[in-house]
Amino acid sequence: MWLVPANPDEYDLERAFSHFQALDWKRSYNYENGDILFLYVSGSVKKVMYKVEVIDGLVHSNDTVYDQSFWLDTDKYSQAIEGEKTRIRLVDVADKDDLTLPRLRERGLRGNIQGSMKLTGELRDYIMSHFANDVSSVTYPDDLPDLWEGERKTITVNAYERNPIARQQCIDHYGVECQVCRINFEETYGELGRDFIHVHHITPLHKVKEGYVVDPRTDLIPVCPNCHAMLHRKENGKYLTLEGMKERLEV
């Protein structure tokens, strides 16, 4: 596990992760597939905010995942597109005072975070405790395989429902209560259910066009797994709407 600095005055990570499921990062160390990197956002933020997984330690192709519009410093962009890259995917995002620079120093961090550093001991365990294992790997209704004549049928997954940044912004707006049946898992199951909820993308996949940018407040909605599954089923060839679901529950 590594602690890696990211300068928000050079590159807009939040917008980039909202747009891409994976990014190509300048390879400053010999990261290996499966390595976990915790990205420390420097500048005026000064806190660890992103947990990412290395999915390709050394990118050999030329299809580098970079979008110049996310670069705030054009000189740094010119430098970044040169050299070796590591491909990373976003696993989880956190915005907590517990992960600020002073708190990290209390847990064993020495000096400033100016380059990638290996995480060990108490500091590693402390940072890990503030992130989920993998929010983006939560099973959603679209992921559940159908068995058809002994073969597995592949079902398309809506990436917007998995994107940790979009999910978190949606939850920050609505809370973790199901917006259909109103269940709150912490109230029902105690500590086990804290912060557990699915996020549903309201617009059907076939209506999503190229270049579409998701708005977490209007396009996503927190729902429980039961309601989520029903929203992904069709009746007479059509998906039920949120209002339609609510009316059925009232009846």
PDB file of all heavy atoms in Angstrom, residues 11 13 15-26 55-56 59-71 77 80-81 85-89:
ATOM      1  N   TYR A  11      -4.290  19.240 -11.370  1.00  0.00           N
ATOM      2  CA  TYR A  11      -5.197  18.289 -12.018  1.00  0.00           C
ATOM      3  C   TYR A  11      -6.462  18.131 -11.186  1.00  0.00           C
ATOM      4  O   TYR A  11      -6.387  17.952  -9.970  1.00  0.00           O
ATOM      5  CB  TYR A  11      -4.478  16.943 -12.167  1.00  0.00           C
ATOM      6  CG  TYR A  11      -5.235  15.906 -12.955  1.00  0.00           C
ATOM      7  CD1 TYR A  11      -5.431  16.048 -14.329  1.00  0.00           C
ATOM      8  CD2 TYR A  11      -5.738  14.769 -12.347  1.00  0.00           C
ATOM      9  CE1 TYR A  11      -6.108  15.087 -15.066  1.00  0.00           C
ATOM     10  CE2 TYR A  11      -6.413  13.798 -13.067  1.00  0.00           C
ATOM     11  CZ  TYR A  11      -6.590  13.957 -14.427  1.00  0.00           C
ATOM     12  OH  TYR A  11      -7.265  13.008 -15.151  1.00  0.00           O
ATOM     13  N   LEU A  13      -8.884  15.991  -9.966  1.00  0.00           N
ATOM     14  CA  LEU A  13      -9.140  14.564  -9.774  1.00  0.00           C
ATOM     15  C   LEU A  13     -10.618  14.253  -9.656  1.00  0.00           C
ATOM     16  O   LEU A  13     -11.106  13.252 -10.193  1.00  0.00           O
ATOM     17  CB  LEU A  13      -8.417  14.074  -8.516  1.00  0.00           C
ATOM     18  CG  LEU A  13      -7.103  13.327  -8.683  1.00  0.00           C
ATOM     19  CD1 LEU A  13      -6.567  12.931  -7.331  1.00  0.00           C
ATOM     20  CD2 LEU A  13      -7.282  12.102  -9.559  1.00  0.00           C
ATOM     21  N   ARG A  15     -13.328  15.725 -10.880  1.00  0.00           N
ATOM     22  CA  ARG A  15     -14.026  15.723 -12.167  1.00  0.00           C
ATOM     23  C   ARG A  15     -13.556  14.572 -13.056  1.00  0.00           C
ATOM     24  O   ARG A  15     -14.337  13.960 -13.776  1.00  0.00           O
ATOM     25  CB  ARG A  15     -13.822  17.054 -12.893  1.00  0.00           C
ATOM     26  CG  ARG A  15     -14.652  18.193 -12.343  1.00  0.00           C
ATOM     27  CD  ARG A  15     -14.869  19.284 -13.387  1.00  0.00           C
ATOM     28  NE  ARG A  15     -13.625  19.739 -13.987  1.00  0.00           N
ATOM     29  CZ  ARG A  15     -13.377  19.719 -15.286  1.00  0.00           C
ATOM     30  NH1 ARG A  15     -14.285  19.255 -16.135  1.00  0.00           N
ATOM     31  NH2 ARG A  15     -12.234  20.167 -15.767  1.00  0.00           N
ATOM     32  N   ALA A  16     -12.267  14.272 -12.981  1.00  0.00           N
ATOM     33  CA  ALA A  16     -11.724  13.189 -13.812  1.00  0.00           C
ATOM     34  C   ALA A  16     -12.315  11.846 -13.397  1.00  0.00           C
ATOM     35  O   ALA A  16     -12.731  11.054 -14.245  1.00  0.00           O
ATOM     36  CB  ALA A  16     -10.208  13.158 -13.698  1.00  0.00           C
ATOM     37  N   PHE A  17     -12.383  11.581 -12.100  1.00  0.00           N
ATOM     38  CA  PHE A  17     -12.943  10.323 -11.624  1.00  0.00           C
ATOM     39  C   PHE A  17     -14.455  10.262 -11.849  1.00  0.00           C
ATOM     40  O   PHE A  17     -15.025   9.176 -11.953  1.00  0.00           O
ATOM     41  CB  PHE A  17     -12.629  10.110 -10.139  1.00  0.00           C
ATOM     42  CG  PHE A  17     -11.292   9.489  -9.879  1.00  0.00           C
ATOM     43  CD1 PHE A  17     -10.443  10.010  -8.906  1.00  0.00           C
ATOM     44  CD2 PHE A  17     -10.873   8.379 -10.591  1.00  0.00           C
ATOM     45  CE1 PHE A  17      -9.206   9.432  -8.655  1.00  0.00           C
ATOM     46  CE2 PHE A  17      -9.642   7.790 -10.348  1.00  0.00           C
ATOM     47  CZ  PHE A  17      -8.801   8.323  -9.376  1.00  0.00           C
ATOM     48  N   SER A  18     -15.097  11.409 -11.895  1.00  0.00           N
ATOM     49  CA  SER A  18     -16.529  11.421 -12.189  1.00  0.00           C
ATOM     50  C   SER A  18     -16.789  11.053 -13.646  1.00  0.00           C
ATOM     51  O   SER A  18     -17.852  10.541 -13.990  1.00  0.00           O
ATOM     52  CB  SER A  18     -17.126  12.805 -11.907  1.00  0.00           C
ATOM     53  OG  SER A  18     -17.046  13.123 -10.542  1.00  0.00           O
ATOM     54  N   HIS A  19     -15.797  11.306 -14.490  1.00  0.00           N
ATOM     55  CA  HIS A  19     -15.956  11.063 -15.927  1.00  0.00           C
ATOM     56  C   HIS A  19     -15.426   9.692 -16.344  1.00  0.00           C
ATOM     57  O   HIS A  19     -16.010   9.023 -17.187  1.00  0.00           O
ATOM     58  CB  HIS A  19     -15.231  12.153 -16.702  1.00  0.00           C
ATOM     59  CG  HIS A  19     -15.479  12.126 -18.172  1.00  0.00           C
ATOM     60  ND1 HIS A  19     -16.634  12.633 -18.739  1.00  0.00           N
ATOM     61  CD2 HIS A  19     -14.734  11.651 -19.198  1.00  0.00           C
ATOM     62  CE1 HIS A  19     -16.586  12.461 -20.046  1.00  0.00           C
ATOM     63  NE2 HIS A  19     -15.441  11.874 -20.359  1.00  0.00           N
ATOM     64  N   PHE A  20     -14.296   9.285 -15.749  1.00  0.00           N
ATOM     65  CA  PHE A  20     -13.648   8.027 -16.124  1.00  0.00           C
ATOM     66  C   PHE A  20     -13.695   7.039 -14.962  1.00  0.00           C
ATOM     67  O   PHE A  20     -13.563   7.418 -13.802  1.00  0.00           O
ATOM     68  CB  PHE A  20     -12.176   8.248 -16.499  1.00  0.00           C
ATOM     69  CG  PHE A  20     -11.967   9.055 -17.740  1.00  0.00           C
ATOM     70  CD1 PHE A  20     -11.354  10.297 -17.676  1.00  0.00           C
ATOM     71  CD2 PHE A  20     -12.361   8.582 -18.970  1.00  0.00           C
ATOM     72  CE1 PHE A  20     -11.145  11.053 -18.818  1.00  0.00           C
ATOM     73  CE2 PHE A  20     -12.155   9.320 -20.132  1.00  0.00           C
ATOM     74  CZ  PHE A  20     -11.552  10.560 -20.049  1.00  0.00           C
ATOM     75  N   GLN A  21     -13.831   5.755 -15.288  1.00  0.00           N
ATOM     76  CA  GLN A  21     -13.737   4.700 -14.285  1.00  0.00           C
ATOM     77  C   GLN A  21     -12.276   4.407 -13.944  1.00  0.00           C
ATOM     78  O   GLN A  21     -11.971   3.898 -12.877  1.00  0.00           O
ATOM     79  CB  GLN A  21     -14.403   3.421 -14.792  1.00  0.00           C
ATOM     80  CG  GLN A  21     -15.922   3.482 -14.802  1.00  0.00           C
ATOM     81  CD  GLN A  21     -16.501   3.569 -13.402  1.00  0.00           C
ATOM     82  OE1 GLN A  21     -16.808   4.657 -12.898  1.00  0.00           O
ATOM     83  NE2 GLN A  21     -16.643   2.450 -12.742  1.00  0.00           N
ATOM     84  N   ALA A  22     -11.359   4.708 -14.870  1.00  0.00           N
ATOM     85  CA  ALA A  22      -9.934   4.462 -14.638  1.00  0.00           C
ATOM     86  C   ALA A  22      -9.137   5.627 -15.203  1.00  0.00           C
ATOM     87  O   ALA A  22      -9.554   6.294 -16.148  1.00  0.00           O
ATOM     88  CB  ALA A  22      -9.501   3.152 -15.286  1.00  0.00           C
ATOM     89  N   LEU A  23      -7.972   5.881 -14.612  1.00  0.00           N
ATOM     90  CA  LEU A  23      -7.084   6.945 -15.068  1.00  0.00           C
ATOM     91  C   LEU A  23      -5.674   6.398 -15.194  1.00  0.00           C
ATOM     92  O   LEU A  23      -5.303   5.442 -14.502  1.00  0.00           O
ATOM     93  CB  LEU A  23      -7.077   8.107 -14.065  1.00  0.00           C
ATOM     94  CG  LEU A  23      -8.382   8.855 -13.805  1.00  0.00           C
ATOM     95  CD1 LEU A  23      -8.164   9.880 -12.694  1.00  0.00           C
ATOM     96  CD2 LEU A  23      -8.879   9.542 -15.062  1.00  0.00           C
ATOM     97  N   ASP A  24      -4.895   7.013 -16.066  1.00  0.00           N
ATOM     98  CA  ASP A  24      -3.488   6.651 -16.188  1.00  0.00           C
ATOM     99  C   ASP A  24      -2.645   7.668 -15.440  1.00  0.00           C
ATOM    100  O   ASP A  24      -2.677   8.865 -15.738  1.00  0.00           O
ATOM    101  CB  ASP A  24      -3.083   6.575 -17.659  1.00  0.00           C
ATOM    102  CG  ASP A  24      -3.665   5.353 -18.341  1.00  0.00           C
ATOM    103  OD1 ASP A  24      -4.123   4.456 -17.617  1.00  0.00           O
ATOM    104  OD2 ASP A  24      -3.679   5.292 -19.577  1.00  0.00           O
ATOM    105  N   TRP A  25      -1.902   7.175 -14.456  1.00  0.00           N
ATOM    106  CA  TRP A  25      -1.157   7.992 -13.512  1.00  0.00           C
ATOM    107  C   TRP A  25       0.337   7.900 -13.823  1.00  0.00           C
ATOM    108  O   TRP A  25       0.820   6.826 -14.193  1.00  0.00           O
ATOM    109  CB  TRP A  25      -1.433   7.475 -12.097  1.00  0.00           C
ATOM    110  CG  TRP A  25      -1.117   8.425 -10.993  1.00  0.00           C
ATOM    111  CD1 TRP A  25       0.006   8.434 -10.207  1.00  0.00           C
ATOM    112  CD2 TRP A  25      -1.931   9.495 -10.515  1.00  0.00           C
ATOM    113  NE1 TRP A  25      -0.058   9.441  -9.288  1.00  0.00           N
ATOM    114  CE2 TRP A  25      -1.244  10.115  -9.448  1.00  0.00           C
ATOM    115  CE3 TRP A  25      -3.181   9.993 -10.891  1.00  0.00           C
ATOM    116  CZ2 TRP A  25      -1.758  11.201  -8.753  1.00  0.00           C
ATOM    117  CZ3 TRP A  25      -3.689  11.078 -10.197  1.00  0.00           C
ATOM    118  CH2 TRP A  25      -2.990  11.668  -9.142  1.00  0.00           C
ATOM    119  N   LYS A  26       1.049   9.000 -13.670  1.00  0.00           N
ATOM    120  CA  LYS A  26       2.482   8.975 -13.904  1.00  0.00           C
ATOM    121  C   LYS A  26       3.135   7.946 -12.982  1.00  0.00           C
ATOM    122  O   LYS A  26       2.930   7.969 -11.769  1.00  0.00           O
ATOM    123  CB  LYS A  26       3.090  10.360 -13.672  1.00  0.00           C
ATOM    124  CG  LYS A  26       4.556  10.436 -14.051  1.00  0.00           C
ATOM    125  CD  LYS A  26       5.091  11.855 -13.939  1.00  0.00           C
ATOM    126  CE  LYS A  26       6.551  11.929 -14.362  1.00  0.00           C
ATOM    127  NZ  LYS A  26       7.087  13.306 -14.248  1.00  0.00           N
ATOM    128  N   ILE A  55      -4.661  -1.375 -11.679  1.00  0.00           N
ATOM    129  CA  ILE A  55      -5.173  -2.447 -12.530  1.00  0.00           C
ATOM    130  C   ILE A  55      -4.218  -2.759 -13.678  1.00  0.00           C
ATOM    131  O   ILE A  55      -4.368  -3.777 -14.349  1.00  0.00           O
ATOM    132  CB  ILE A  55      -6.577  -2.119 -13.082  1.00  0.00           C
ATOM    133  CG1 ILE A  55      -6.584  -0.801 -13.853  1.00  0.00           C
ATOM    134  CG2 ILE A  55      -7.589  -2.072 -11.953  1.00  0.00           C
ATOM    135  CD1 ILE A  55      -7.928  -0.474 -14.489  1.00  0.00           C
ATOM    136  N   ASP A  56      -3.238  -1.901 -13.900  1.00  0.00           N
ATOM    137  CA  ASP A  56      -2.196  -2.164 -14.889  1.00  0.00           C
ATOM    138  C   ASP A  56      -0.952  -1.414 -14.440  1.00  0.00           C
ATOM    139  O   ASP A  56      -0.862  -0.200 -14.573  1.00  0.00           O
ATOM    140  CB  ASP A  56      -2.642  -1.694 -16.286  1.00  0.00           C
ATOM    141  CG  ASP A  56      -1.734  -2.219 -17.391  1.00  0.00           C
ATOM    142  OD1 ASP A  56      -0.615  -2.675 -17.061  1.00  0.00           O
ATOM    143  OD2 ASP A  56      -2.128  -2.191 -18.558  1.00  0.00           O
ATOM    144  N   VAL A  59       1.388   0.627 -18.239  1.00  0.00           N
ATOM    145  CA  VAL A  59       0.533   0.726 -19.419  1.00  0.00           C
ATOM    146  C   VAL A  59       1.411   0.699 -20.663  1.00  0.00           C
ATOM    147  O   VAL A  59       2.256   1.573 -20.861  1.00  0.00           O
ATOM    148  CB  VAL A  59      -0.309   2.019 -19.390  1.00  0.00           C
ATOM    149  CG1 VAL A  59      -1.168   2.127 -20.637  1.00  0.00           C
ATOM    150  CG2 VAL A  59      -1.186   2.037 -18.138  1.00  0.00           C
ATOM    151  N   HIS A  60       1.213  -0.308 -21.502  1.00  0.00           N
ATOM    152  CA  HIS A  60       2.046  -0.462 -22.692  1.00  0.00           C
ATOM    153  C   HIS A  60       1.433   0.175 -23.939  1.00  0.00           C
ATOM    154  O   HIS A  60       2.108   0.427 -24.904  1.00  0.00           O
ATOM    155  CB  HIS A  60       2.289  -1.956 -22.972  1.00  0.00           C
ATOM    156  CG  HIS A  60       3.071  -2.631 -21.892  1.00  0.00           C
ATOM    157  ND1 HIS A  60       4.435  -2.498 -21.766  1.00  0.00           N
ATOM    158  CD2 HIS A  60       2.667  -3.437 -20.870  1.00  0.00           C
ATOM    159  CE1 HIS A  60       4.862  -3.204 -20.725  1.00  0.00           C
ATOM    160  NE2 HIS A  60       3.813  -3.774 -20.168  1.00  0.00           N
ATOM    161  N   SER A  61       0.113   0.400 -23.905  1.00  0.00           N
ATOM    162  CA  SER A  61      -0.553   0.933 -25.090  1.00  0.00           C
ATOM    163  C   SER A  61      -0.464   2.448 -25.133  1.00  0.00           C
ATOM    164  O   SER A  61      -0.028   3.102 -24.191  1.00  0.00           O
ATOM    165  CB  SER A  61      -2.023   0.499 -25.098  1.00  0.00           C
ATOM    166  OG  SER A  61      -2.696   1.042 -23.983  1.00  0.00           O
ATOM    167  N   ASN A  62      -0.887   2.998 -26.262  1.00  0.00           N
ATOM    168  CA  ASN A  62      -0.872   4.448 -26.439  1.00  0.00           C
ATOM    169  C   ASN A  62      -2.219   5.089 -26.115  1.00  0.00           C
ATOM    170  O   ASN A  62      -2.384   6.293 -26.261  1.00  0.00           O
ATOM    171  CB  ASN A  62      -0.482   4.799 -27.882  1.00  0.00           C
ATOM    172  CG  ASN A  62       0.953   4.417 -28.188  1.00  0.00           C
ATOM    173  OD1 ASN A  62       1.830   4.564 -27.343  1.00  0.00           O
ATOM    174  ND2 ASN A  62       1.191   3.918 -29.400  1.00  0.00           N
ATOM    175  N   ASP A  63      -3.193   4.273 -25.708  1.00  0.00           N
ATOM    176  CA  ASP A  63      -4.526   4.819 -25.428  1.00  0.00           C
ATOM    177  C   ASP A  63      -4.606   5.339 -24.003  1.00  0.00           C
ATOM    178  O   ASP A  63      -5.437   4.942 -23.211  1.00  0.00           O
ATOM    179  CB  ASP A  63      -5.601   3.756 -25.686  1.00  0.00           C
ATOM    180  CG  ASP A  63      -5.421   2.528 -24.811  1.00  0.00           C
ATOM    181  OD1 ASP A  63      -4.292   2.314 -24.330  1.00  0.00           O
ATOM    182  OD2 ASP A  63      -6.404   1.798 -24.604  1.00  0.00           O
ATOM    183  N   THR A  64      -3.684   6.227 -23.672  1.00  0.00           N
ATOM    184  CA  THR A  64      -3.610   6.771 -22.319  1.00  0.00           C
ATOM    185  C   THR A  64      -4.883   7.515 -21.956  1.00  0.00           C
ATOM    186  O   THR A  64      -5.389   8.317 -22.730  1.00  0.00           O
ATOM    187  CB  THR A  64      -2.403   7.726 -22.192  1.00  0.00           C
ATOM    188  OG1 THR A  64      -1.223   7.027 -22.573  1.00  0.00           O
ATOM    189  CG2 THR A  64      -2.248   8.214 -20.769  1.00  0.00           C
ATOM    190  N   VAL A  65      -5.398   7.223 -20.751  1.00  0.00           N
ATOM    191  CA  VAL A  65      -6.638   7.848 -20.294  1.00  0.00           C
ATOM    192  C   VAL A  65      -6.310   9.204 -19.682  1.00  0.00           C
ATOM    193  O   VAL A  65      -6.103   9.334 -18.487  1.00  0.00           O
ATOM    194  CB  VAL A  65      -7.368   6.950 -19.273  1.00  0.00           C
ATOM    195  CG1 VAL A  65      -8.700   7.581 -18.865  1.00  0.00           C
ATOM    196  CG2 VAL A  65      -7.597   5.559 -19.853  1.00  0.00           C
ATOM    197  N   TYR A  66      -6.220  10.196 -20.536  1.00  0.00           N
ATOM    198  CA  TYR A  66      -5.981  11.561 -20.085  1.00  0.00           C
ATOM    199  C   TYR A  66      -6.917  12.483 -20.855  1.00  0.00           C
ATOM    200  O   TYR A  66      -7.113  12.300 -22.057  1.00  0.00           O
ATOM    201  CB  TYR A  66      -4.536  12.003 -20.370  1.00  0.00           C
ATOM    202  CG  TYR A  66      -3.575  11.746 -19.244  1.00  0.00           C
ATOM    203  CD1 TYR A  66      -2.501  10.880 -19.406  1.00  0.00           C
ATOM    204  CD2 TYR A  66      -3.739  12.374 -18.024  1.00  0.00           C
ATOM    205  CE1 TYR A  66      -1.602  10.639 -18.382  1.00  0.00           C
ATOM    206  CE2 TYR A  66      -2.853  12.135 -16.986  1.00  0.00           C
ATOM    207  CZ  TYR A  66      -1.789  11.277 -17.167  1.00  0.00           C
ATOM    208  OH  TYR A  66      -0.918  11.049 -16.139  1.00  0.00           O
ATOM    209  N   ASP A  67      -7.468  13.441 -20.186  1.00  0.00           N
ATOM    210  CA  ASP A  67      -8.285  14.441 -20.856  1.00  0.00           C
ATOM    211  C   ASP A  67      -7.718  15.796 -20.464  1.00  0.00           C
ATOM    212  O   ASP A  67      -7.712  16.162 -19.290  1.00  0.00           O
ATOM    213  CB  ASP A  67      -9.753  14.320 -20.427  1.00  0.00           C
ATOM    214  CG  ASP A  67     -10.652  15.234 -21.248  1.00  0.00           C
ATOM    215  OD1 ASP A  67     -10.232  16.354 -21.548  1.00  0.00           O
ATOM    216  OD2 ASP A  67     -11.775  14.812 -21.567  1.00  0.00           O
ATOM    217  N   GLN A  68      -7.260  16.527 -21.436  1.00  0.00           N
ATOM    218  CA  GLN A  68      -6.569  17.782 -21.157  1.00  0.00           C
ATOM    219  C   GLN A  68      -7.452  18.779 -20.408  1.00  0.00           C
ATOM    220  O   GLN A  68      -6.954  19.635 -19.674  1.00  0.00           O
ATOM    221  CB  GLN A  68      -6.073  18.405 -22.467  1.00  0.00           C
ATOM    222  CG  GLN A  68      -5.181  19.615 -22.255  1.00  0.00           C
ATOM    223  CD  GLN A  68      -4.527  20.084 -23.548  1.00  0.00           C
ATOM    224  OE1 GLN A  68      -4.708  19.452 -24.586  1.00  0.00           O
ATOM    225  NE2 GLN A  68      -3.776  21.167 -23.489  1.00  0.00           N
ATOM    226  N   SER A  69      -8.782  18.641 -20.551  1.00  0.00           N
ATOM    227  CA  SER A  69      -9.680  19.597 -19.903  1.00  0.00           C
ATOM    228  C   SER A  69      -9.621  19.509 -18.381  1.00  0.00           C
ATOM    229  O   SER A  69     -10.035  20.431 -17.681  1.00  0.00           O
ATOM    230  CB  SER A  69     -11.121  19.366 -20.366  1.00  0.00           C
ATOM    231  OG  SER A  69     -11.593  18.104 -19.948  1.00  0.00           O
ATOM    232  N   PHE A  70      -9.107  18.399 -17.834  1.00  0.00           N
ATOM    233  CA  PHE A  70      -9.008  18.244 -16.387  1.00  0.00           C
ATOM    234  C   PHE A  70      -7.708  18.821 -15.835  1.00  0.00           C
ATOM    235  O   PHE A  70      -7.530  18.898 -14.627  1.00  0.00           O
ATOM    236  CB  PHE A  70      -9.125  16.774 -15.989  1.00  0.00           C
ATOM    237  CG  PHE A  70     -10.439  16.154 -16.399  1.00  0.00           C
ATOM    238  CD1 PHE A  70     -10.468  14.927 -17.034  1.00  0.00           C
ATOM    239  CD2 PHE A  70     -11.635  16.800 -16.155  1.00  0.00           C
ATOM    240  CE1 PHE A  70     -11.665  14.350 -17.415  1.00  0.00           C
ATOM    241  CE2 PHE A  70     -12.837  16.245 -16.534  1.00  0.00           C
ATOM    242  CZ  PHE A  70     -12.850  15.021 -17.166  1.00  0.00           C
ATOM    243  N   TRP A  71      -6.795  19.184 -16.729  1.00  0.00           N
ATOM    244  CA  TRP A  71      -5.517  19.745 -16.296  1.00  0.00           C
ATOM    245  C   TRP A  71      -5.640  21.253 -16.139  1.00  0.00           C
ATOM    246  O   TRP A  71      -6.007  21.964 -17.055  1.00  0.00           O
ATOM    247  CB  TRP A  71      -4.416  19.400 -17.294  1.00  0.00           C
ATOM    248  CG  TRP A  71      -3.954  17.978 -17.140  1.00  0.00           C
ATOM    249  CD1 TRP A  71      -4.453  16.885 -17.758  1.00  0.00           C
ATOM    250  CD2 TRP A  71      -2.924  17.526 -16.280  1.00  0.00           C
ATOM    251  NE1 TRP A  71      -3.796  15.754 -17.326  1.00  0.00           N
ATOM    252  CE2 TRP A  71      -2.844  16.119 -16.420  1.00  0.00           C
ATOM    253  CE3 TRP A  71      -2.038  18.155 -15.397  1.00  0.00           C
ATOM    254  CZ2 TRP A  71      -1.933  15.342 -15.713  1.00  0.00           C
ATOM    255  CZ3 TRP A  71      -1.126  17.382 -14.694  1.00  0.00           C
ATOM    256  CH2 TRP A  71      -1.070  15.987 -14.854  1.00  0.00           C
ATOM    257  N   TYR A  77       0.635  19.355 -17.673  1.00  0.00           N
ATOM    258  CA  TYR A  77      -0.003  18.424 -18.603  1.00  0.00           C
ATOM    259  C   TYR A  77       1.000  17.949 -19.642  1.00  0.00           C
ATOM    260  O   TYR A  77       1.084  16.746 -19.948  1.00  0.00           O
ATOM    261  CB  TYR A  77      -1.184  19.090 -19.295  1.00  0.00           C
ATOM    262  CG  TYR A  77      -1.730  18.287 -20.452  1.00  0.00           C
ATOM    263  CD1 TYR A  77      -2.470  17.119 -20.229  1.00  0.00           C
ATOM    264  CD2 TYR A  77      -1.503  18.671 -21.769  1.00  0.00           C
ATOM    265  CE1 TYR A  77      -2.956  16.368 -21.281  1.00  0.00           C
ATOM    266  CE2 TYR A  77      -1.997  17.929 -22.834  1.00  0.00           C
ATOM    267  CZ  TYR A  77      -2.720  16.784 -22.587  1.00  0.00           C
ATOM    268  OH  TYR A  77      -3.199  16.039 -23.628  1.00  0.00           O
ATOM    269  N   ALA A  80       3.157  15.466 -18.064  1.00  0.00           N
ATOM    270  CA  ALA A  80       2.468  14.249 -17.636  1.00  0.00           C
ATOM    271  C   ALA A  80       2.256  13.255 -18.759  1.00  0.00           C
ATOM    272  O   ALA A  80       2.220  12.040 -18.535  1.00  0.00           O
ATOM    273  CB  ALA A  80       1.116  14.616 -17.018  1.00  0.00           C
ATOM    274  N   ILE A  81       2.104  13.736 -19.985  1.00  0.00           N
ATOM    275  CA  ILE A  81       1.810  12.824 -21.084  1.00  0.00           C
ATOM    276  C   ILE A  81       3.061  12.078 -21.553  1.00  0.00           C
ATOM    277  O   ILE A  81       2.974  11.161 -22.361  1.00  0.00           O
ATOM    278  CB  ILE A  81       1.176  13.566 -22.286  1.00  0.00           C
ATOM    279  CG1 ILE A  81       2.111  14.668 -22.806  1.00  0.00           C
ATOM    280  CG2 ILE A  81      -0.179  14.135 -21.906  1.00  0.00           C
ATOM    281  CD1 ILE A  81       1.565  15.399 -24.013  1.00  0.00           C
ATOM    282  N   LYS A  85       3.285   5.063 -17.513  1.00  0.00           N
ATOM    283  CA  LYS A  85       2.029   5.289 -16.787  1.00  0.00           C
ATOM    284  C   LYS A  85       1.597   4.023 -16.051  1.00  0.00           C
ATOM    285  O   LYS A  85       1.910   2.900 -16.448  1.00  0.00           O
ATOM    286  CB  LYS A  85       0.913   5.696 -17.754  1.00  0.00           C
ATOM    287  CG  LYS A  85       1.227   6.905 -18.605  1.00  0.00           C
ATOM    288  CD  LYS A  85       1.321   8.166 -17.783  1.00  0.00           C
ATOM    289  CE  LYS A  85       1.461   9.395 -18.662  1.00  0.00           C
ATOM    290  NZ  LYS A  85       2.642   9.344 -19.538  1.00  0.00           N
ATOM    291  N   THR A  86       0.848   4.230 -14.970  1.00  0.00           N
ATOM    292  CA  THR A  86       0.184   3.160 -14.233  1.00  0.00           C
ATOM    293  C   THR A  86      -1.311   3.407 -14.308  1.00  0.00           C
ATOM    294  O   THR A  86      -1.764   4.541 -14.081  1.00  0.00           O
ATOM    295  CB  THR A  86       0.628   3.154 -12.754  1.00  0.00           C
ATOM    296  OG1 THR A  86       2.006   2.769 -12.683  1.00  0.00           O
ATOM    297  CG2 THR A  86      -0.204   2.184 -11.935  1.00  0.00           C
ATOM    298  N   ARG A  87      -2.084   2.394 -14.641  1.00  0.00           N
ATOM    299  CA  ARG A  87      -3.540   2.573 -14.739  1.00  0.00           C
ATOM    300  C   ARG A  87      -4.183   2.246 -13.400  1.00  0.00           C
ATOM    301  O   ARG A  87      -3.956   1.187 -12.820  1.00  0.00           O
ATOM    302  CB  ARG A  87      -4.116   1.693 -15.845  1.00  0.00           C
ATOM    303  CG  ARG A  87      -5.613   1.906 -16.092  1.00  0.00           C
ATOM    304  CD  ARG A  87      -6.008   1.419 -17.478  1.00  0.00           C
ATOM    305  NE  ARG A  87      -5.358   2.258 -18.504  1.00  0.00           N
ATOM    306  CZ  ARG A  87      -5.358   1.954 -19.799  1.00  0.00           C
ATOM    307  NH1 ARG A  87      -5.945   0.861 -20.237  1.00  0.00           N
ATOM    308  NH2 ARG A  87      -4.750   2.763 -20.667  1.00  0.00           N
ATOM    309  N   ILE A  88      -5.005   3.179 -12.909  1.00  0.00           N
ATOM    310  CA  ILE A  88      -5.661   3.009 -11.609  1.00  0.00           C
ATOM    311  C   ILE A  88      -7.168   3.136 -11.762  1.00  0.00           C
ATOM    312  O   ILE A  88      -7.662   3.806 -12.664  1.00  0.00           O
ATOM    313  CB  ILE A  88      -5.166   4.064 -10.584  1.00  0.00           C
ATOM    314  CG1 ILE A  88      -5.420   5.481 -11.107  1.00  0.00           C
ATOM    315  CG2 ILE A  88      -3.690   3.852 -10.261  1.00  0.00           C
ATOM    316  CD1 ILE A  88      -5.069   6.591 -10.119  1.00  0.00           C
ATOM    317  N   ARG A  89      -7.901   2.468 -10.889  1.00  0.00           N
ATOM    318  CA  ARG A  89      -9.361   2.618 -10.848  1.00  0.00           C
ATOM    319  C   ARG A  89      -9.759   3.085  -9.462  1.00  0.00           C
ATOM    320  O   ARG A  89      -9.154   2.719  -8.454  1.00  0.00           O
ATOM    321  CB  ARG A  89     -10.071   1.307 -11.185  1.00  0.00           C
ATOM    322  CG  ARG A  89     -10.070   0.269 -10.078  1.00  0.00           C
ATOM    323  CD  ARG A  89     -10.885  -0.961 -10.438  1.00  0.00           C
ATOM    324  NE  ARG A  89     -10.914  -1.906  -9.313  1.00  0.00           N
ATOM    325  CZ  ARG A  89     -11.853  -1.928  -8.380  1.00  0.00           C
ATOM    326  NH1 ARG A  89     -12.846  -1.060  -8.421  1.00  0.00           N
ATOM    327  NH2 ARG A  89     -11.806  -2.797  -7.392  1.00  0.00           N
TER     328      ARG A  89
END
